[in-house]
Amino acid sequence: MSQTLPAGSLSGKTALVTGSSRGIGADTVRYFAEAGANVVVNYRNKAPRAERLAGQLRELGVEVLVVGADLTDPESVGAMFDEVRRAFGLLDILVLNASGGMEAGMAEDYALLLNRDAQVGVLDAALPLLSDDARVVFVTSHQAHFIRTTPTMPEYEPVALSKRAGEDALRARIPELTEKGVGFVVVSGDMIEGTITATLLERANPGAIAARREGAGRLYNVSEFAAEVAKAAIDPIPDGNTRLVGDTSSFGGE
């Protein structure tokens, strides 16, 4: 991975990325650490993988806290932020990256519980720790961001609707966040090559990734998209609080 944020630009800062033991979350938290931030690696149930990543990040000379938490469990989320408070005191960057809903064997309302209710719950739990100029970043997809005007694959629609519900619930908090001096940005990306979601979509709808790649011209890979998420944490807040990554020509308005 190449340097994405200016070296030392986050020295003295602390960043937490939900779902950061792998994929986009792991690359995002690595970019923060490379820029000098102390980081919190959050995972749900893969502690060894999270610890391996933490070991790599500590070699960069930053402090790393590894915390397992089920984001759909308020007590678990509260315990996570208690650990963050003890370790770092304040939090400067919160990236709401963890999402799901296509996993097998989950309850019918799991997507909404994770992608809407849990996102708001994590923000509420983090608020007392957010510094005066903190930044909150919510990670979503074009298929979810534009779901009101552009249909998506049937296999993904319940997840897309739940993620858009989560985005809406978080956007409703912008006035409150602004009053506290906290910036908020939605980062929406096209299908990302190499993600779990893309793999599950391809399994459910063979050829979906190739078709989208052809329609878009190119698709971002995990590290490329993670770089955009990381930059959203320090760049000026864009119009509409939205950073669009990848082709949007085939999507209607929001």
Side-chain angles (χ1 to χ4, degrees):
M1 292 171 64
S2 59
Q3 184 75 40
T4 291
L5 307 180
S9 60
L10 293 178
S11 294
K13 303 289 188 180
T14 300
L16 184 155
V17 181
T18 62
S20 50
S21 68
R22 67 179 178 187
I24 293 166
D27 280 4
T28 301
V29 85
R30 187 186 301 275
Y31 286 130
F32 290 151
E34 288 176 345
N38 298 319
V39 296
V40 183
V41 176
N42 160 252
Y43 68 94
R44 187 179 65 169
N45 55 15
K46 300 290 186 182
R49 183 170 58 197
E51 291 290 355
R52 281 195 300 273
L53 173 62
Q56 297 167 8
L57 300 183
R58 291 186 182 109
E59 293 177 2
L60 299 171
V62 301
E63 293 185 52
V64 183
L65 175 66
V66 179
V67 188
D70 177 355
L71 301 186
T72 65
D73 178 354
E75 287 190 11
S76 183
V77 171
M80 174 173 70
F81 284 107
D82 285 344
E83 289 197 44
V84 174
R85 181 187 292 107
R86 284 193 292 269
F88 300 117
L90 292 176
L91 189 62
D92 302 286
I93 297 170
L94 171 65
V95 177
L96 299 169
N97 164 73
S99 65
M102 294 191 69
E103 302 87 344
M106 294 297 187
E108 188 175 340
D109 64 345
Y110 178 70
L112 201 58
L113 181 62
L114 176 59
N115 297 332
R116 182 193 63 187
D117 301 347
Q119 306 302 316
V120 175
V122 171
L123 175 61
D124 283 338
L127 272 177
L129 296 182
L130 294 180
S131 60
D132 292 340
D133 59 347
R135 181 73 59 89
V136 176
V137 179
F138 175 67
V139 181
T140 189
S141 66
H142 291 348
Q143 289 73 22
H145 181 68
F146 294 104
I147 188 62
R148 293 201 185 106
T149 58
T150 308
T152 189
M153 290 170 284
E155 298 85 359
Y156 190 63
E157 184 173 338
V159 176
L161 289 169
S162 67
K163 285 185 69 66
R164 182 67 220 204
E167 178 181 338
D168 291 342
L170 292 167
R171 283 186 183 276
R173 306 293 291 276
I174 289 177
E176 174 192 351
L177 294 173
T178 301
E179 188 174 336
K180 293 176 178 291
V182 176
F184 176 78
V185 179
V186 171
V187 180
S188 177
D190 205 341
M191 285 187 185
I192 309 299
E193 302 260 20
T195 62
I196 296 298
T197 298
T199 300
L200 292 174
L201 277 173
E202 184 68 20
R203 189 176 300 162
N205 189 348
I209 302 301
R212 183 59 200 148
R213 188 188 304 115
E214 182 177 351
R218 72 175 289 257
L219 297 178
Y220 280 62
N221 63 32
V222 168
S223 64
E224 289 172 332
F225 183 65
E228 297 294 327
V229 174
K231 286 185 282 191
I234 65 169
D235 284 355
I237 295 176
D239 291 343
N241 301 79
T242 308
R243 187 183 187 107
L244 298 173
V245 181
D247 180 67
T248 60
S249 61
S250 61
F251 294 92
E254 292 182 39

